[in-house]
Amino acid sequence: MNWASLQGLLSGVNKYSTALGRIWLSVVFLFRVLVYVVAAEEVWDDEQKDFVCNTRQPGCPNVCYDEFFPVSHVRLWALQLILVTCPSLLVVMHVAYRQERERKHRLKHGPGAPSLYDNPSKKRGGLWWTYLLSLIFKAAVDSGFLYIFHRLYQDYDMPRVVACSEAPCPHTVDCYISRPTEKKVFTYFMVATAVICILLNLSEVTYLVGKRCLETFGPRRRRPHHRDHLPDTCPPYALSQGEPPQDGNSVLMKAGSASMDAGGFP
């Protein structure tokens, strides 16, 4: 599989992601994809070839290997990485759909027509839901694969020796796994990075939902009203022709003093 092409496709996700989303993408490529391509495939390259059992019965090593390793680690990780990264492409496709719709709208109604979207890449409306559902799907996929690994390989363990009594083995035989400690370390590392990605996804979901709730139900800021004109109650004689324009409060004070001088009472 060409992981470089996948990285090129997902590089555009950074433009439409939050800060947590950018951290998630960095963790995926630096600590999952890169480790998988550079090291994990090499570690499991000899998994079946060096799986040795202390018997010469034909077919026994193959049956025992299938019993303890029904699915290869590297193939499960490859499938997991594909399913985890694909939802991010949906966000890019949704933004591209918005941009294409905006372009057709401009061609049909002219460049002076009002825009369909204030910002096609801004997470509002359907794009917000697409982004939110992609986060939930990614967290669910990682959680599901962690459960699968736990069920197939108890506690993500890699024993040095396994006992096998499956047919056509003549009796219970011992089979030896090549480089079990190294494989265990890589397994724990991949599990830990998957847990970190799940926490990042859930944190981003909480951030998006919380931000939307604050925008919807939070207190709205009132815009200050500036009085740039004289109040309607100001009498026309309050301003003399020789005086410069004054603000409303000083005009009212002068008007009040004029009325005091005229009648003796406010």
Side-chain angles (χ1 to χ4, degrees), residues 16 95 98 118-125 127-128:
Y16 316 122
V95 174
R98 280 186 164 190
D118 294 335
N119 185 359
S121 61
K122 193 173 184 180
K123 290 182 283 295
R124 288 291 184 272
L127 184 60
W128 187 87

Side-chain angles (χ1 to χ4, degrees), residues 209-260:
V209 175
K211 183 179 179 182
R212 177 55 62 87
C213 291
L214 288 178
E215 292 176 353
T216 305
F217 305 107
R220 298 181 179 179
R221 296 180 179 178
R222 295 182 178 179
R223 296 180 180 179
H225 297 282
H226 299 284
R227 305 187 64 175
D228 298 331
H229 58 278
L230 294 177
D232 297 335
T233 57
C234 179
Y237 56 82
L239 285 178
S240 62
Q241 295 181 356
E243 294 181 355
Q246 301 176 2
D247 60 343
N249 293 329
S250 50
V251 169
L252 288 176
M253 291 177 63
K254 288 186 176 182
S257 61
S259 62
M260 287 279 292

Side-chain angles (χ1 to χ4, degrees), residues 87-106:
S88 299
L89 296 178
L90 295 178
V91 178
V92 179
M93 293 171 61
H94 197 150
V95 174
Y97 164 76
R98 280 186 164 190
Q99 293 172 347
E100 180 64 18
R101 188 181 177 190
E102 184 71 27
R103 186 186 67 84
K104 292 181 178 179
H105 177 74
R106 295 287 184 178

